[in-house]
Amino acid sequence: MSSILLIGAGRMGAALARGWIAQGRGPEITVLEPSVDAGFAKALKKAGGRLNPKAALIGAPKAVVLAVKPQVLESVAREAVRFAGAKPVFISIAAGIALRKLGTWLGDRAAVVRAMPNLPAALGAGATVAAANDRVTAAQRKLAGALLSAAGALEWLTDESPIDAVTAVSGSGPAYVFLLVETLAAAGIAAGLKPDLAMRLARLTIAGSGALMQSWPDRDAATMRRDVTSPGGTTEAALKVLMAPGGLAPLMAKAVKAATKRAKELGA
Ligand SMILES: NC(=O)c1ccc[n+]([C@@H]2O[C@H](COP(=O)([O-])OP(=O)(O)OC[C@H]3O[C@@H](n4cnc5c(N)ncnc54)[C@H](OP(=O)(O)O)[C@@H]3O)[C@@H](O)[C@H]2O)c1
């Protein structure tokens, strides 16, 4: 049975591990995390996983998942080199940190996968993009693929260069959607709704629209938008504002550009 070592079980690391638990891999999981969430610790224990065992008891993992912040990744990766003897596949989910840099920290011969998941991974509804270095064997790629797929859809790239833009679109994207809920609710309050009703309506509208899109994977978003826009109606009046020059499209382009730039800075 392959064993999985997860280093860092914050928001993303714990979301991934919950997916592995749901796959029935609980007994394979060892987690190293200084400030673990009590709910996650309970779920891990119940599934037969191990939390912060003594170093000598960690054994020889087949996959080492690095899920710490980019700022501390170098020291964590350099320490994780001690597991290299077992020839694991190292999987980094850190924003901005390129395969070449991971290779300098983990050793030239290390098999490394760089992946970018997103927060809906917690429900198995995430979107992950991954790229592997040339040390990754077919079996390691299969194992990495199985672990990352627990978070939802997975796409492999042959070249890692688009990952900073992926980070800016799907990695950071859930926060843009949460902001959309906040701003829609605030606009509702300004239009005269009570705050709690405005927030409930904004949440339900965005969650429901997302679920609708999931249920129609072959229908593109622009068609769905046109389908609900009657000529001369209320939706059209709002969309004229959102789609005007200087509206949502250039603002979103600017936001994604800023996130892509920041991903590159984190890896510099
Ligand atoms: N959150 C997202 O939506 C998202 C999406 C895609 C990718 N990512 C990437 O995922 C990584 C983790 O992000 P996150 O949002 O999950 O951050 P987070 O919630 O801060 O989780 C990181 C965890 O790692 C722990 N940690 C720090 N040093 C450690 C060490 N030496 N050994 C073991 N654990 C250690 C931290 O503990 P302390 O708090 O005590 O330091 C923290 O609990 C980042 O590299 C990020 O770029 C995140």
Side-chain angles (χ1 to χ4, degrees):
M1 193 193 270
S2 54
S3 53
I4 312 158
L5 175 63
L6 172 67
I7 308 181
R11 278 177 296 268
M12 268 318 301
L16 288 174
R18 284 185 186 275
W20 305 332
I21 289 170
Q23 285 181 331
R25 290 178 177 269
E28 297 174 57
I29 308 171
T30 300
V31 173
L32 298 181
E33 164 61 60
S35 23
V36 76
D37 166 77
F40 172 68
K42 203 171 155 193
L44 180 69
K45 195 174 165 205
K46 193 172 163 206
R50 298 184 300 166
L51 179 62
N52 297 326
K54 287 200 179 99
L57 298 177
I58 292 174
K62 284 286 163 218
V64 178
V65 181
L66 305 167
V68 295
K69 291 282 189 202
Q71 292 83 348
V72 298
L73 184 58
E74 178 172 1
S75 66
V76 169
R78 288 191 187 280
E79 223 182 287
V81 171
R82 68 193 161 105
F83 302 110
K87 297 202 183 327
V89 55
F90 290 96
I91 303 170
S92 163
I93 62 164
I97 313 294
L99 284 170
R100 201 175 49 80
K101 189 165 259 188
L102 290 161
T104 62
W105 298 338
L106 292 163
D108 283 348
R109 279 179 294 175
V112 188
V113 167
R114 176 185 176 194
M116 181 45 56
N118 68 0
L119 213 52
L123 302 175
T128 302
V129 169
N133 74 1
D134 56 11
R135 299 285 178 180
V136 174
T137 65
Q140 288 174 324
R141 192 183 167 97
K142 198 170 161 203
L143 174 59
L147 297 180
L148 293 169
S149 301
L154 169 66
E155 292 197 24
W156 285 98
L157 297 175
T158 45
D159 159 30
E160 70 172 313
S161 52
I163 293 192
D164 288 333
V166 165
T167 305
V169 172
S170 54
S172 302
Y176 316 159
V177 177
F178 302 145
L179 177 65
L180 193 58
V181 173
E182 291 175 65
T183 52
L184 184 56
I189 295 166
L193 296 180
K194 287 200 169 133
D196 57 343
L197 178 62
M199 183 49 81
R200 270 201 311 282
L201 292 177
R203 278 182 81 117
L204 287 168
T205 301
I206 283 159
S209 306
L212 206 56
M213 271 201 289
Q214 283 285 53
S215 73
W216 282 336
D218 298 331
R219 209 162 176 79
D220 67 77
T223 305
M224 291 177 71
R225 169 176 52 76
R226 280 192 290 267
D227 284 351
V228 294
T229 310
S230 319
T234 56
T235 309
E236 187 187 69
L239 288 176
K240 270 188 182 156
V241 176
L242 291 170
M243 296 173 78
L248 191 57
L251 195 60
M252 188 60 85
K254 219 167 128 185
V256 167
K257 200 169 159 192
T260 309
K261 179 169 171 272
R262 183 64 188 138
K264 290 190 194 309
E265 285 166 5
L266 285 169

